[in-house]
């Protein structure tokens, strides 16, 4: 059944973010874009861009400044309308100090700041330029739009190319704010687990190899980030699971496709089915019959309450390993 490859289904990966720049997560078996949405529900990387003013530096060269953020080279940005207002903001590496992932551009330092330049194009849509190497010069940087508009993304500078360091992929979602400012939700992939999950579920030609596929290479992916990179272990923050699931349900309804949500997060559960998130999932399943939520069953056991939360929700599909009598003796020394 070569056509039974997941085509027509979307898999929502609620995790640390899916890196759409990885070979194998670019297209489906039908040539469609693999990652069709990239959103962050943690609030970790929101950048507020304020209207910038043009001035001159000490050498008389033009710079644009908003508060403490300044850049040069704005006049050379491709597609910038002559009279367009420009907004500026920045994402600092120090924001991620609590999780040990502070060197986002792999340059050996942890004090970097990446400026974001936002402006409206001739069509009225927001465009964003990211100072990927933190040198305050945006003249040669690519222009991207909100990911849901054009599936565009960039990667931060990765230091010495000879060292082949892993790159951090970045996409944006721009919302207008009062006073001509805007707010940029940055989808920043600093951990590998979400990408790993997406590859298993729906990778196609992983590492460019024909036939090296995930379970459903024809399926598309929603990258819904719930793991906060500023916290140790990429912990999920309050409400992020619910917001991500509600987004997936809405996306499925709007596009008329079934959605499978995969979530590998979980904690121990003393009273199965009684936690707030489990009760939410039971209501969610009834209200969204076009969705199936698949959860990891936890890493506990054997014993009572080894199924964690939210995997104990009665309307979700929970997946875990079985500990048979034969391998229990070998693995944990019991019969």
């Amino acid at each position: 059944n070569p056509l039974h490859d997941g085509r027509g289904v979307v898999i929502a990966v609620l995790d640390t973010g899916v890196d759409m720049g990885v070979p194998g997560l670019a297209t489906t078996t039908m040539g469609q874009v693999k990652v069709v949405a990239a959103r962050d529900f943690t609030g970790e990387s929101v950048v507020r861009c304020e209207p910038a003013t043009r001035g001159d530096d000490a050498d008389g060269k033009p710079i644009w400044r908003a508060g403490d953020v300044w850049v040069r080279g704005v006049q050379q940005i491709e597609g910038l309308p002559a009279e367009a207002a420009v907004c500026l903001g920045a994402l600092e590496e120090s924001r991620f100090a609590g999780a040990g992932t502070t060197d986002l551009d792999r340059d050996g330092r942890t004090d970097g700041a990446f400026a974001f330049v936002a402006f409206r194009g001739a069509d009225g849509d927001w465009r964003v330029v990211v100072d990927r190497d933190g040198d305050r010069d945006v003249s040669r940087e690519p222009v991207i739009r909100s990911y849901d508009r054009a599936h565009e993304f960039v990667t931060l500078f990765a230091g010495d190319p000879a060292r082949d360091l892993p790159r951090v992929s970045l996409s944006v979602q721009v919302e207008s704010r009062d006073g001509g400012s805007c707010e940029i939700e940055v989808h920043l992939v600093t951990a590998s687990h979400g990408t790993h999950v997406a590859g298993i579920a729906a990778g196609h030609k992983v590492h460019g190899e024909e036939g090296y596929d995930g379970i459903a290479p024809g399926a598309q992916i929603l990258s819904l980030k719930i793991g906060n990179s500023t916290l140790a272990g990429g912990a999920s923050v309050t409400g992020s699971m619910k917001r991500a699931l509600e987004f997936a349900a809405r996306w499925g309804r709007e596009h008329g496709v079934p959605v499978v949500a995969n979530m590998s997060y979980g904690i121990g559960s003393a009273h199965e089915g009684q936690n707030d998130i489990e009760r939410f999932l039971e209501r969610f399943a009834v209200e969204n019959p076009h969705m199936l939520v698949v959860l990891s069953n936890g890493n506990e056991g054997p014993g009572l309450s080894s199924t964690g939360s939210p995997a104990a929700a009665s309307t979700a599909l929970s997946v875990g390993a079985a500990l048979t009598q034969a391998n229990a003796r070998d693995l944990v020394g019991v019969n």
Side-chain angles (χ1 to χ4, degrees):
N1 297 300
L3 302 184
H4 294 190
D5 61 359
R7 62 187 63 186
V9 175
V10 171
I11 301 174
V13 179
L14 282 68
D15 213 288
T16 59
V18 176
D19 188 345
M20 62 286 288
V22 168
L25 293 175
T27 61
T28 70
T29 52
M30 299 176 67
Q32 300 167 306
V33 171
K34 175 64 70 174
V35 181
V36 292
R39 299 298 302 267
D40 188 322
F41 297 92
T42 70
E44 68 169 31
S45 303
V46 174
V47 175
R48 182 69 180 257
C49 291
E50 301 293 345
T53 56
R54 177 172 174 168
D56 294 319
D57 63 13
D59 297 325
K61 296 180 180 179
I63 61 171
W64 281 255
R65 183 185 300 275
D68 295 332
V69 184
W70 65 269
V71 293
R72 60 174 67 89
V74 171
Q75 74 278 12
Q76 295 172 259
I77 293 176
E78 183 178 353
L80 176 68
E83 302 303 321
V86 172
C87 295
L88 275 180
L91 180 69
E92 301 84 9
E93 286 183 325
S94 59
R95 189 181 302 195
F96 301 88
T101 57
T102 50
D103 187 9
L104 299 179
D105 55 357
R106 310 296 197 260
D107 66 349
R109 300 172 60 92
T110 59
D111 58 354
F114 310 99
F116 283 67
V117 179
F119 63 93
R120 289 190 183 275
D123 58 2
D125 277 352
W126 284 102
R127 265 71 168 172
V128 175
V129 174
V130 183
D131 179 19
R132 296 176 298 166
D133 56 4
D135 67 351
R136 299 181 186 270
D137 186 346
V138 296
S139 60
R140 295 177 300 277
E141 299 290 1
V143 180
I144 60 175
R145 288 166 285 177
S146 290
Y147 191 81
D148 63 355
R149 296 281 189 179
H151 303 132
E152 296 168 342
F153 66 95
V154 297
T155 56
L156 296 181
F157 178 71
D160 182 358
R163 295 171 61 193
D164 193 28
L165 296 169
R167 294 177 181 267
V168 173
S169 292
L170 178 157
S171 61
V172 299
Q173 194 72 26
V174 189
E175 297 290 340
S176 300
R177 292 291 181 262
D178 294 338
S181 65
C182 68
E183 190 170 87
I184 302 176
E185 174 193 294
V186 182
H187 177 274
L188 192 69
V189 184
T190 59
S192 61
H193 192 270
T195 304
H196 171 70
V197 168
I200 293 173
H204 177 51
K205 293 184 180 179
V206 177
H207 295 302
E209 296 185 26
E210 188 70 41
Y212 195 15
D213 294 340
I215 302 300
Q220 293 180 297
I221 295 288
L222 304 178
S223 176
L224 309 182
K225 187 171 181 178
I226 62 172
N228 192 317
S229 302
T230 68
L231 303 175
S236 177
V237 297
T238 301
S240 60
M241 294 180 187
K242 295 179 182 178
R243 292 192 295 272
L245 287 168
E246 288 167 346
F247 175 89
R250 186 168 59 253
W251 198 96
R253 284 194 301 272
E254 291 173 353
H255 292 81
V257 296
V259 177
V260 177
N262 182 92
M263 188 160 62
S264 299
Y265 279 75
I267 59 173
S269 177
H271 300 287
E272 289 86 348
Q274 299 303 307
N275 288 344
D276 176 65
I277 186 64
E278 292 163 354
R279 291 172 174 166
F280 168 84
L281 283 170
E282 289 169 2
R283 296 192 303 272
F284 182 82
V286 174
E287 296 167 357
N288 299 283
H290 64 294
M291 281 197 65
L292 171 66
V293 179
V294 183
L295 305 166
S296 58
N297 216 344
N299 298 319
E300 306 298 331
L304 297 174
S305 297
S306 58
T307 294
S309 175
S314 62
T315 54
L317 174 60
S318 300
V319 180
L323 190 64
T324 66
Q325 187 173 15
N327 64 27
R329 181 176 59 251
D330 296 334
L331 295 175
V332 295
V334 297
N335 291 317

